[in-house]
Amino acid sequence: MASLFKKIKTLPPFVTWMIAKLIILYGQTLRVRIVDPEGILLSRQPWPFIATIWHNRILFLGPCCPPDLRSQFNVLISASRDGRYIADVIEKVGFRSVAGS
């Protein structure tokens, strides 16, 4: 089973779609308060900035970012096979991904 999993380069589209929908559904159960004292995120201006998030917090990225702003964010994700899985899901949630390390 593990060797079969290693041969899969990308997840089937229905799997990434389902994971993305579960993340969005999970986000609808959260109470999110955005603290933005500088007004960068909520101003809707094209401010250039870099935000960092630890890999185990990616699940919360979608719910914490307003849906209309997601397409403006580029998420740097590992160019590995596992990173490709994450990038596929992140793109379904509405973000753009950039392969790197």
XYZ file of all heavy atoms in Angstrom:
809
model
N 0.826 -1.197 0.000
C 0.000 0.000 0.000
C 0.868 1.257 0.000
O 0.585 2.190 -0.710
C -0.933 -0.032 1.213
C -1.857 1.137 1.284
S -3.095 1.035 -0.003
C -4.239 2.220 0.566
N 1.914 1.256 0.828
C 2.783 2.426 0.909
C 3.511 2.668 -0.408
O 3.679 3.814 -0.823
C 3.784 2.277 2.038
N 3.919 1.596 -1.090
C 4.617 1.781 -2.364
C 3.670 2.329 -3.431
O 4.085 3.102 -4.290
C 5.245 0.470 -2.826
O 4.241 -0.501 -3.054
N 2.403 1.944 -3.383
C 1.421 2.487 -4.316
C 1.233 3.987 -4.072
O 1.169 4.780 -5.008
C 0.091 1.758 -4.163
C -1.077 2.298 -4.989
C -0.781 2.111 -6.482
C -2.360 1.582 -4.611
N 1.167 4.374 -2.812
C 1.001 5.784 -2.457
C 2.178 6.627 -2.947
O 1.999 7.740 -3.395
C 0.838 5.920 -0.944
C 0.584 7.322 -0.490
C -0.618 7.943 -0.750
C 1.566 8.025 0.194
C -0.862 9.240 -0.332
C 1.344 9.315 0.612
C 0.117 9.923 0.352
N 3.383 6.068 -2.888
C 4.573 6.800 -3.325
C 4.584 7.040 -4.825
O 5.218 7.967 -5.303
C 5.844 6.053 -2.907
C 6.104 6.117 -1.430
C 7.381 5.421 -1.077
C 7.645 5.529 0.407
N 8.906 4.927 0.790
N 3.879 6.212 -5.586
C 3.839 6.370 -7.035
C 2.851 7.442 -7.485
O 2.920 7.908 -8.612
C 3.469 5.040 -7.693
C 4.535 3.983 -7.542
C 4.111 2.685 -8.184
C 5.167 1.614 -7.944
N 4.796 0.330 -8.518
N 1.932 7.838 -6.626
C 0.918 8.833 -6.985
C 1.540 10.225 -6.891
O 1.956 10.650 -5.822
C -0.312 8.727 -6.063
C -0.963 7.365 -6.197
C -1.311 9.826 -6.388
C -2.076 7.110 -5.207
N 1.641 10.917 -8.026
C 2.245 12.251 -8.052
C 1.264 13.338 -7.621
O 1.649 14.316 -6.997
C 2.769 12.574 -9.448
C 3.821 11.606 -9.942
C 5.094 11.744 -9.167
C 6.144 10.811 -9.724
N 7.211 10.536 -8.854
N 0.005 13.198 -8.005
C -1.025 14.155 -7.597
C -2.244 13.374 -7.124
O -2.494 12.253 -7.575
C -1.444 15.086 -8.761
O -1.974 14.293 -9.821
C -0.280 15.910 -9.258
N -2.987 13.978 -6.237
C -4.216 13.347 -5.765
C -5.315 13.529 -6.808
O -5.311 14.512 -7.549
C -4.656 13.989 -4.449
C -3.742 13.773 -3.253
C -4.224 14.587 -2.059
C -3.668 12.306 -2.882
N -6.256 12.602 -6.868
C -7.376 12.779 -7.792
C -8.143 14.070 -7.463
O -8.264 14.435 -6.283
C -8.252 11.544 -7.535
C -7.339 10.544 -6.912
C -6.318 11.341 -6.152
N -8.652 14.762 -8.473
C -9.345 16.036 -8.238
C -10.498 15.944 -7.238
O -10.698 16.864 -6.447
C -9.853 16.435 -9.621
C -8.933 15.748 -10.570
C -8.538 14.471 -9.901
N -11.243 14.845 -7.225
C -12.355 14.753 -6.279
C -11.855 14.688 -4.839
O -12.530 15.150 -3.917
C -13.284 13.571 -6.604
C -12.745 12.217 -6.220
C -13.003 11.678 -4.971
C -11.977 11.484 -7.116
C -12.503 10.436 -4.617
C -11.477 10.235 -6.776
C -11.741 9.704 -5.523
N -10.665 14.139 -4.620
C -10.099 14.069 -3.264
C -9.699 15.464 -2.801
O -10.036 15.870 -1.681
C -8.898 13.095 -3.214
C -8.207 13.148 -1.854
C -9.337 11.680 -3.535
N -9.001 16.220 -3.662
C -8.610 17.579 -3.266
C -9.836 18.459 -3.085
O -9.874 19.286 -2.181
C -7.646 18.216 -4.288
O -8.242 18.216 -5.575
C -6.338 17.470 -4.331
N -10.853 18.270 -3.914
C -12.086 19.052 -3.792
C -12.753 18.744 -2.457
O -13.185 19.657 -1.746
C -13.026 18.718 -4.957
C -14.328 19.425 -4.883
C -14.608 20.686 -5.337
C -15.542 18.939 -4.302
N -15.914 20.992 -5.080
C -16.518 19.935 -4.442
C -15.895 17.742 -3.679
C -17.825 19.785 -3.988
C -17.194 17.587 -3.225
C -18.137 18.600 -3.389
N -12.816 17.461 -2.100
C -13.465 17.075 -0.855
C -12.711 17.620 0.362
O -13.319 18.121 1.307
C -13.572 15.550 -0.764
C -14.472 15.089 0.369
S -14.696 13.304 0.459
C -15.150 12.886 -1.192
N -11.394 17.533 0.335
C -10.595 18.069 1.452
C -10.798 19.575 1.563
O -10.977 20.109 2.667
C -9.103 17.715 1.274
C -8.904 16.202 1.382
C -8.251 18.447 2.301
C -7.520 15.729 0.977
N -10.786 20.278 0.428
C -10.981 21.729 0.442
C -12.356 22.087 1.001
O -12.487 23.020 1.803
C -10.816 22.299 -0.966
N -13.374 21.355 0.610
C -14.731 21.622 1.127
C -14.809 21.359 2.624
O -15.488 22.086 3.351
C -15.773 20.782 0.385
C -15.953 21.187 -1.058
C -16.405 22.627 -1.172
C -16.516 23.033 -2.618
N -16.747 24.440 -2.805
N -14.114 20.322 3.089
C -14.101 20.048 4.532
C -13.396 21.171 5.298
O -13.831 21.550 6.386
C -13.419 18.705 4.812
C -14.229 17.473 4.463
C -13.377 16.215 4.596
C -15.466 17.372 5.334
N -12.316 21.709 4.725
C -11.618 22.828 5.365
C -12.535 24.046 5.438
O -12.626 24.714 6.472
C -10.319 23.160 4.613
C -9.291 22.051 4.831
C -9.755 24.514 5.049
C -8.057 22.180 3.957
N -13.238 24.336 4.349
C -14.155 25.481 4.328
C -15.302 25.253 5.304
O -15.679 26.162 6.057
C -14.653 25.742 2.896
C -13.483 26.239 2.031
C -15.803 26.737 2.889
C -13.757 26.271 0.553
N -15.844 24.050 5.338
C -16.915 23.726 6.276
C -16.425 23.855 7.711
O -17.108 24.438 8.566
C -17.445 22.314 6.021
C -18.581 21.836 6.910
C -19.821 22.681 6.668
C -18.870 20.368 6.631
N -15.241 23.345 7.986
C -14.645 23.477 9.316
C -14.475 24.954 9.676
O -14.767 25.371 10.800
C -13.293 22.762 9.347
C -12.518 22.986 10.609
C -12.924 22.437 11.813
C -11.375 23.771 10.607
C -12.217 22.651 12.981
C -10.656 23.988 11.762
C -11.091 23.427 12.943
O -10.380 23.652 14.089
N -14.040 25.754 8.722
C -13.860 27.182 8.962
C -15.148 27.889 9.324
O -15.141 28.873 10.070
N -16.264 27.400 8.825
C -17.548 28.017 9.147
C -17.976 27.749 10.575
O -18.883 28.390 11.082
C -18.611 27.543 8.167
C -18.369 28.065 6.771
C -19.303 27.477 5.735
O -19.990 26.482 5.992
N -19.330 28.074 4.570
N -17.320 26.796 11.246
C -17.639 26.519 12.649
C -16.755 27.326 13.603
O -16.963 27.273 14.806
C -17.468 25.020 12.966
O -16.084 24.669 12.886
C -18.285 24.160 12.017
N -15.768 28.041 13.069
C -14.846 28.815 13.901
C -15.294 30.251 14.063
O -15.932 30.816 13.181
C -13.444 28.814 13.273
C -12.746 27.476 13.089
C -11.427 27.681 12.367
C -12.521 26.809 14.425
N -14.941 30.818 15.181
C -15.078 32.256 15.376
C -13.706 32.852 15.134
O -12.764 32.577 15.866
C -15.523 32.564 16.802
C -16.919 33.115 16.875
C -17.218 33.545 18.260
N -17.510 32.336 19.036
C -17.859 32.334 20.295
N -17.916 33.449 20.959
N -18.124 31.224 20.909
N -13.595 33.673 14.104
C -12.306 34.244 13.733
C -12.323 35.734 14.017
O -13.254 36.442 13.638
C -12.007 33.996 12.236
C -10.709 34.659 11.827
C -11.961 32.513 11.948
N -11.287 36.195 14.697
C -11.110 37.626 14.934
C -9.754 38.000 14.360
O -8.729 37.489 14.804
C -11.153 37.930 16.415
C -11.141 39.418 16.702
C -11.265 39.695 18.174
N -9.981 40.253 18.584
C -9.447 40.148 19.761
N -10.055 39.471 20.692
N -8.306 40.697 20.037
N -9.766 38.862 13.364
C -8.526 39.284 12.734
C -8.029 40.536 13.428
O -8.733 41.540 13.505
C -8.736 39.549 11.229
C -9.174 38.253 10.545
C -7.476 40.110 10.601
C -9.573 38.413 9.108
N -6.820 40.460 13.961
C -6.183 41.602 14.600
C -5.188 42.165 13.594
O -4.193 41.520 13.280
C -5.479 41.196 15.920
C -4.788 42.393 16.540
C -6.478 40.575 16.869
N -5.488 43.336 13.086
C -4.684 43.946 12.034
C -4.465 45.419 12.383
O -5.037 46.312 11.764
C -5.427 43.796 10.698
C -4.638 44.278 9.515
O -3.412 44.433 9.635
O -5.255 44.493 8.454
N -3.599 45.689 13.402
C -3.437 47.065 13.864
C -2.895 48.019 12.801
O -3.183 49.216 12.835
C -2.474 46.951 15.044
C -1.795 45.648 14.879
C -2.734 44.762 14.126
N -2.147 47.506 11.852
C -1.596 48.365 10.798
C -2.584 48.553 9.651
O -2.360 49.385 8.777
C -0.285 47.777 10.261
C 0.762 47.525 11.322
C 1.201 48.787 12.035
O 1.250 49.845 11.392
O 1.478 48.704 13.243
N -3.641 47.770 9.631
C -4.643 47.893 8.579
C -4.193 47.359 7.230
O -4.758 47.708 6.203
N -3.197 46.497 7.224
C -2.648 45.997 5.960
C -3.612 45.021 5.290
O -3.952 45.171 4.123
C -1.277 45.337 6.191
C -0.269 46.396 6.620
C -0.803 44.627 4.942
C 1.061 45.833 7.058
N -4.056 44.026 6.020
C -4.894 42.986 5.437
C -6.297 43.489 5.119
O -6.831 43.238 4.051
C -4.972 41.782 6.375
C -5.810 40.604 5.914
C -5.221 40.018 4.635
C -5.879 39.549 6.985
N -6.873 44.211 6.030
C -8.269 44.605 5.873
C -8.474 45.875 5.054
O -9.604 46.241 4.754
C -8.926 44.755 7.249
C -8.941 43.469 8.078
C -9.525 43.728 9.447
C -9.689 42.366 7.362
N -7.406 46.562 4.668
C -7.551 47.804 3.905
C -7.900 47.553 2.445
O -8.319 48.454 1.746
C -6.261 48.620 3.977
O -5.239 47.975 3.238
N -7.710 46.328 1.979
C -7.964 45.951 0.585
C -7.037 46.674 -0.387
O -7.300 46.767 -1.559
C -9.419 46.190 0.173
C -10.456 45.570 1.064
C -10.424 44.057 0.941
N -11.640 43.456 1.425
C -11.731 42.800 2.557
N -10.693 42.670 3.324
N -12.847 42.230 2.926
N -5.948 47.208 0.113
C -4.945 47.851 -0.732
C -3.904 46.818 -1.128
O -3.652 45.872 -0.389
C -4.253 49.006 0.015
C -5.183 50.140 0.392
C -5.729 50.847 -0.834
O -5.015 51.044 -1.809
N -6.994 51.210 -0.787
N -3.271 46.987 -2.269
C -2.259 46.017 -2.696
C -0.911 46.221 -2.006
O 0.098 46.491 -2.632
C -2.162 46.275 -4.203
C -2.490 47.717 -4.344
C -3.517 48.008 -3.279
N -0.895 46.126 -0.687
C 0.339 46.288 0.082
C 1.230 45.081 -0.134
O 0.787 43.953 0.032
C 0.032 46.402 1.574
C -0.754 47.589 1.972
C -2.117 47.672 2.058
C -0.260 48.865 2.341
N -2.484 48.907 2.455
C -1.364 49.678 2.643
C 1.014 49.399 2.441
C -1.235 50.992 3.043
C 1.139 50.713 2.842
C 0.029 51.490 3.132
N 2.486 45.298 -0.449
C 3.388 44.140 -0.535
C 3.862 43.745 0.866
O 4.386 44.569 1.603
C 4.549 44.659 -1.386
C 4.534 46.132 -1.171
C 3.111 46.525 -0.895
N 3.616 42.527 1.253
C 4.106 42.048 2.537
C 4.228 40.537 2.492
O 3.664 39.877 1.618
C 3.201 42.490 3.696
C 1.851 41.843 3.737
C 1.628 40.727 4.515
C 0.796 42.359 3.007
C 0.383 40.126 4.561
C -0.447 41.776 3.047
C -0.653 40.656 3.828
N 4.952 40.003 3.427
C 5.139 38.562 3.546
C 4.580 38.140 4.900
O 4.967 38.679 5.935
C 6.630 38.176 3.449
C 7.177 38.546 2.080
C 6.813 36.692 3.733
C 8.670 38.352 1.941
N 3.677 37.213 4.866
C 3.129 36.650 6.097
C 3.682 35.238 6.233
O 3.857 34.539 5.240
C 1.607 36.616 6.037
N 3.975 34.837 7.440
C 4.492 33.488 7.660
C 3.483 32.677 8.453
O 2.773 33.205 9.298
C 5.831 33.528 8.422
O 5.634 34.186 9.678
C 6.885 34.253 7.629
N 3.437 31.410 8.138
C 2.546 30.499 8.859
C 3.251 29.140 8.918
O 3.867 28.713 7.941
C 1.164 30.415 8.185
C 0.204 29.581 9.022
C 1.260 29.891 6.778
C -1.234 29.694 8.574
N 3.196 28.501 10.044
C 3.843 27.214 10.212
C 3.029 26.155 9.483
O 1.822 26.260 9.360
C 3.967 26.899 11.701
C 5.006 25.872 11.995
C 4.783 24.602 12.461
C 6.420 25.993 11.838
N 5.973 23.936 12.607
C 6.991 24.771 12.230
C 7.250 27.019 11.399
C 8.355 24.536 12.191
C 8.616 26.788 11.368
C 9.144 25.564 11.768
N 3.689 25.109 8.992
C 3.022 24.116 8.147
C 1.844 23.427 8.822
O 0.892 23.056 8.159
C 4.030 23.077 7.644
C 4.603 22.219 8.708
N 5.688 22.608 9.457
C 4.243 21.005 9.156
C 5.978 21.655 10.325
N 5.117 20.677 10.160
N 1.873 23.279 10.128
C 0.753 22.620 10.788
C -0.426 23.557 11.037
O -1.408 23.176 11.635
C 1.196 21.957 12.093
C 1.698 22.950 13.127
O 1.857 24.131 12.840
N 1.948 22.471 14.325
N -0.330 24.798 10.547
C -1.422 25.765 10.671
C -2.110 26.032 9.329
O -2.994 26.861 9.240
C -0.921 27.096 11.225
C -0.207 27.007 12.559
C -1.188 26.657 13.677
N -0.613 26.887 14.982
C -0.053 25.962 15.737
N 0.050 24.748 15.300
N 0.421 26.253 16.928
N -1.693 25.319 8.286
C -2.268 25.544 6.962
C -3.772 25.292 6.962
O -4.515 25.960 6.261
C -1.549 24.680 5.904
C -0.138 25.226 5.687
C -2.304 24.644 4.598
C 0.703 24.418 4.736
N -4.228 24.356 7.785
C -5.658 24.071 7.877
C -6.450 25.327 8.247
O -7.569 25.521 7.796
C -5.900 22.970 8.915
C -7.330 22.554 9.168
C -7.933 21.947 7.912
C -7.401 21.565 10.302
N -5.838 26.218 9.043
C -6.530 27.415 9.494
C -6.382 28.596 8.538
O -7.003 29.625 8.722
C -6.018 27.835 10.878
C -6.222 26.770 11.909
C -5.169 26.024 12.381
C -7.491 26.503 12.389
C -5.362 25.031 13.326
C -7.700 25.510 13.329
C -6.632 24.777 13.800
N -5.550 28.457 7.534
C -5.290 29.562 6.611
C -6.549 29.990 5.868
O -6.859 31.175 5.774
C -4.195 29.151 5.625
C -3.639 30.221 4.712
C -3.047 31.363 5.527
C -2.578 29.627 3.798
N -7.290 29.042 5.342
C -8.511 29.366 4.605
C -9.555 30.070 5.456
O -10.054 31.134 5.080
N -9.907 29.511 6.619
C -10.909 30.154 7.452
C -10.495 31.530 7.980
O -11.342 32.380 8.219
C -11.088 29.185 8.622
C -10.662 27.871 8.091
C -9.581 28.169 7.102
N -9.201 31.770 8.134
C -8.745 33.035 8.709
C -8.616 34.158 7.682
O -8.537 35.313 8.054
C -7.402 32.840 9.409
S -7.542 31.835 10.892
N -8.585 33.829 6.438
C -8.425 34.834 5.398
C -9.772 35.062 4.708
O -10.407 34.098 4.277
C -7.384 34.377 4.382
S -7.058 35.596 3.119
N -10.218 36.312 4.592
C -11.493 36.572 3.915
C -11.481 35.998 2.493
O -10.481 36.110 1.779
C -11.572 38.098 3.885
C -10.694 38.550 5.014
C -9.599 37.534 5.092
N -12.574 35.369 2.077
C -12.617 34.711 0.763
C -12.257 35.623 -0.411
O -11.617 35.174 -1.360
C -14.069 34.233 0.644
C -14.537 34.108 2.041
C -13.816 35.171 2.812
N -12.616 36.879 -0.358
C -12.317 37.765 -1.485
C -10.848 38.147 -1.570
O -10.401 38.661 -2.589
C -13.192 39.017 -1.438
C -13.023 39.801 -0.151
O -12.838 39.179 0.909
O -13.075 41.038 -0.201
N -10.074 37.871 -0.523
C -8.643 38.185 -0.543
C -7.768 36.974 -0.860
O -6.589 37.120 -1.146
C -8.203 38.756 0.806
C -8.700 40.140 1.166
C -8.187 40.527 2.537
C -8.252 41.145 0.131
N -8.325 35.798 -0.816
C -7.516 34.578 -0.974
C -6.769 34.531 -2.298
O -5.634 34.091 -2.352
C -8.387 33.343 -0.833
C -8.888 33.152 0.571
C -9.775 31.948 0.689
N -10.436 31.973 1.987
C -11.485 31.264 2.283
N -12.002 30.419 1.401
N -12.029 31.356 3.472
N -7.391 34.987 -3.366
C -6.745 34.905 -4.680
C -5.563 35.855 -4.797
O -4.779 35.761 -5.731
C -7.749 35.189 -5.789
O -8.219 36.517 -5.680
N -5.417 36.793 -3.860
C -4.294 37.724 -3.885
C -3.062 37.179 -3.169
O -1.996 37.772 -3.244
C -4.694 39.058 -3.250
C -5.792 39.758 -4.014
C -6.189 41.050 -3.340
O -5.398 41.658 -2.628
N -7.429 41.474 -3.548
N -3.214 36.062 -2.476
C -2.118 35.491 -1.710
C -1.435 34.378 -2.480
O -2.090 33.527 -3.066
C -2.623 34.920 -0.380
C -2.922 35.964 0.643
C -4.164 36.574 0.689
C -1.971 36.328 1.561
C -4.447 37.534 1.629
C -2.239 37.291 2.510
C -3.479 37.896 2.543
N -0.124 34.400 -2.466
C 0.688 33.303 -2.986
C 1.243 32.548 -1.795
O 1.870 33.146 -0.920
C 1.847 33.827 -3.833
C 1.356 34.468 -5.101
O 0.615 33.875 -5.855
N 1.770 35.694 -5.339
N 1.014 31.261 -1.750
C 1.469 30.436 -0.644
C 2.669 29.628 -1.120
O 2.577 28.893 -2.103
C 0.344 29.494 -0.157
C 0.825 28.633 0.990
C -0.888 30.292 0.232
N 3.798 29.791 -0.453
C 5.016 29.054 -0.789
C 4.928 27.665 -0.172
O 4.817 27.531 1.049
C 6.250 29.789 -0.273
C 7.594 29.133 -0.521
C 7.885 29.076 -2.016
C 8.694 29.893 0.200
N 4.964 26.661 -1.028
C 4.815 25.280 -0.582
C 5.944 24.461 -1.189
O 6.356 24.697 -2.329
C 3.441 24.712 -0.996
C 2.332 25.526 -0.321
C 3.307 23.247 -0.630
C 0.938 25.131 -0.719
N 6.421 23.504 -0.456
C 7.516 22.655 -0.902
C 7.244 22.062 -2.284
O 6.108 21.727 -2.621
C 7.710 21.518 0.106
O 8.580 20.546 -0.406
N 8.298 21.909 -3.063
C 8.179 21.324 -4.403
C 8.139 19.800 -4.357
O 8.140 19.156 -5.399
C 9.334 21.800 -5.269
N 8.057 19.223 -3.172
C 8.024 17.765 -3.028
C 6.648 17.208 -3.409
O 5.698 17.952 -3.649
C 8.331 17.373 -1.581
O 7.280 17.797 -0.740
N 6.543 15.892 -3.417
C 5.263 15.240 -3.712
C 4.212 15.622 -2.665
O 3.081 15.966 -3.014
C 5.453 13.719 -3.752
C 4.177 12.970 -4.108
C 4.334 11.461 -3.978
N 4.436 11.097 -2.572
C 5.479 10.472 -2.030
N 6.504 10.127 -2.765
N 5.506 10.187 -0.746
N 4.587 15.606 -1.396
C 3.651 15.996 -0.341
C 3.223 17.448 -0.494
O 2.069 17.797 -0.269
C 4.279 15.783 1.042
C 4.552 14.319 1.338
O 3.980 13.456 0.643
O 5.338 14.051 2.259
N 4.178 18.287 -0.873
C 3.864 19.698 -1.109
C 2.869 19.868 -2.240
O 2.010 20.743 -2.191
N 2.969 19.033 -3.267
C 2.023 19.106 -4.391
C 0.616 18.775 -3.926
O -0.357 19.377 -4.344
C 2.462 18.139 -5.497
C 1.633 18.183 -6.761
C 1.872 19.469 -7.533
N 0.694 20.315 -7.420
C 0.677 21.617 -7.605
N 1.750 22.269 -7.899
N -0.416 22.292 -7.485
N 0.488 17.800 -3.021
C -0.826 17.466 -2.460
C -1.410 18.679 -1.742
O -2.575 19.036 -1.928
C -0.739 16.308 -1.464
C -0.220 14.998 -1.998
C 0.331 14.071 -1.143
C -0.273 14.675 -3.351
C 0.804 12.850 -1.594
C 0.203 13.463 -3.822
C 0.743 12.560 -2.940
O 1.211 11.366 -3.393
N -0.592 19.316 -0.914
C -1.041 20.491 -0.158
C -1.384 21.631 -1.111
O -2.398 22.308 -0.940
C 0.035 20.910 0.863
C 0.205 19.821 1.912
C -0.318 22.238 1.510
C 1.427 19.993 2.785
N -0.546 21.847 -2.122
C -0.789 22.933 -3.081
C -2.110 22.729 -3.815
O -2.854 23.697 -4.037
C 0.365 23.015 -4.072
N -2.419 21.504 -4.186
C -3.679 21.235 -4.874
C -4.877 21.604 -4.005
O -5.851 22.186 -4.480
C -3.764 19.761 -5.288
C -2.810 19.396 -6.411
O -2.298 20.323 -7.092
O -2.567 18.191 -6.606
N -4.800 21.270 -2.720
C -5.896 21.593 -1.797
C -5.975 23.098 -1.580
O -7.069 23.692 -1.637
C -5.732 20.847 -0.462
C -6.745 21.333 0.555
C -5.855 19.345 -0.669
N -4.835 23.739 -1.341
C -4.799 25.179 -1.097
C -5.393 25.943 -2.291
O -6.113 26.921 -2.120
C -3.340 25.632 -0.829
C -2.920 25.185 0.564
C -3.148 27.114 -0.993
C -3.644 25.876 1.688
N -5.099 25.492 -3.499
C -5.640 26.153 -4.687
C -7.154 25.995 -4.767
O -7.854 26.913 -5.184
C -4.964 25.615 -5.950
C -3.523 26.086 -6.057
C -2.724 25.399 -7.143
O -3.286 24.521 -7.862
O -1.532 25.732 -7.281
N -7.664 24.857 -4.342
C -9.125 24.656 -4.321
C -9.793 25.545 -3.267
O -10.941 25.933 -3.432
C -9.461 23.190 -4.055
C -9.073 22.242 -5.147
C -10.215 22.007 -6.088
C -9.976 20.869 -7.040
N -8.976 21.061 -8.040
N -9.067 25.863 -2.204
C -9.607 26.750 -1.172
C -9.635 28.192 -1.670
O -10.442 28.996 -1.216
C -8.810 26.614 0.147
C -9.202 27.650 1.169
C -8.979 25.234 0.722
N -8.792 28.509 -2.661
C -8.835 29.838 -3.263
C -7.515 30.581 -3.309
O -7.463 31.708 -3.796
N -6.455 29.980 -2.791
C -5.136 30.616 -2.798
C -4.362 30.208 -4.041
O -4.682 29.216 -4.686
C -4.341 30.206 -1.554
C -4.922 30.679 -0.270
C -5.720 29.850 0.481
C -4.675 31.949 0.196
C -6.273 30.269 1.680
C -5.221 32.391 1.384
C -6.014 31.558 2.125
N -3.328 30.965 -4.359
C -2.386 30.557 -5.397
C -1.185 29.939 -4.698
O -0.854 30.330 -3.583
C -1.940 31.765 -6.216
C -3.071 32.345 -7.050
C -2.599 33.503 -7.852
N -2.161 34.571 -6.943
C -2.065 35.843 -7.278
N -2.323 36.227 -8.499
N -1.664 36.741 -6.412
N -0.551 28.980 -5.351
C 0.611 28.355 -4.722
C 1.840 28.571 -5.582
O 1.751 28.693 -6.797
C 0.373 26.855 -4.509
O 0.318 26.188 -5.741
N 2.985 28.623 -4.909
C 4.283 28.748 -5.557
C 5.138 27.619 -5.023
O 5.255 27.446 -3.811
C 4.942 30.111 -5.231
C 6.322 30.209 -5.850
C 4.049 31.263 -5.675
N 5.731 26.838 -5.921
C 6.579 25.726 -5.495
C 7.958 26.251 -5.140
O 8.556 27.030 -5.881
C 6.687 24.682 -6.604
N 8.442 25.870 -3.991
C 9.759 26.307 -3.529
C 10.096 25.583 -2.246
O 9.525 24.566 -1.932
N 11.034 26.157 -1.498
C 11.373 25.555 -0.202
C 11.894 26.614 0.726
O 12.174 27.713 0.338
C 12.392 24.438 -0.392
O 13.589 24.948 -0.906
